[in-house]
Each structure stands twice: as C-alpha cells, then as structure tokens.
C-alpha cells in the first residue's frame, strides 16, 4: 500500500524548526511529507515555481498550511 503524501505549506525560513519537527511527526506515522527544502518537489524549469508546487499538491492526500 502506498504511503499517504502530506504536502506542508508555509514560509520556509522563519518556521524552519516547526517544519522540521512536523516532518518527523509525519514520518513517524508512516506518511510521506512533501516539503520544498528537502527536495520532495519536482521543479519543472519550464514552469513557474508555483505551478510545480500546485502539481505536487494535486498528488497529495493531505495538505497542511502553517500560518505563523
């Protein structure tokens, strides 16, 4: 059975510690976190970065938005 993919969206730099902790938490449940700073997103250089992120969101089963 495939692991559920969890896309994590937030500002990367000012919430770095929270994002790292959340990644570990998600992995502990056996889910696959999708986060830009860990190379989990395929960036198509012919598209805008936002479009590549939207493509990955569509492949995810869960979406988490962190607002800080």
């Amino acid at each position: 059975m495939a692991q559920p993919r969890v896309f994590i969206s937030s500002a990367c730099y000012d919430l770095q510690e929270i994002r790292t902790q959340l990644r570990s938490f998600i992995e502990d449940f056996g889910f696959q976190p999708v986060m830009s700073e860990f190379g989990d997103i395929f960036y198509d250089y012919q598209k805008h970065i936002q479009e590549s992120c939207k493509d990955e969101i569509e492949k995810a089963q869960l979406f988490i938005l962190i607002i800080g």
Side-chain angles (χ1 to χ4, degrees):
M1 180 183 288
Q3 293 177 307
R5 292 171 53 89
V6 181
F7 189 95
I8 304 185
S9 180
S10 72
C12 290
Y13 300 109
D14 58 340
L15 298 173
Q16 184 175 11
E17 181 62 30
I18 292 169
R19 290 173 62 84
T20 301
Q21 291 175 3
L22 184 56
R23 181 178 185 87
S24 294
F25 181 79
I26 289 168
E27 289 175 331
D28 287 347
F29 274 95
F31 293 3
Q32 179 184 2
V34 179
M35 303 170 73
S36 60
E37 68 268 36
F38 291 94
D40 301 325
I41 298 174
F42 171 74
Y43 289 107
D44 183 343
Y45 294 104
Q46 296 178 345
K47 295 181 179 180
H48 191 280
I49 275 181
Q50 291 174 342
E51 292 303 315
S52 294
C53 287
K54 288 179 188 178
D55 291 344
E56 289 299 320
I57 290 169
E58 289 179 12
K59 297 175 192 173
Q61 284 72 44
L62 296 166
F63 178 92
I64 296 174
L65 173 61
I66 304 168
I67 300 173

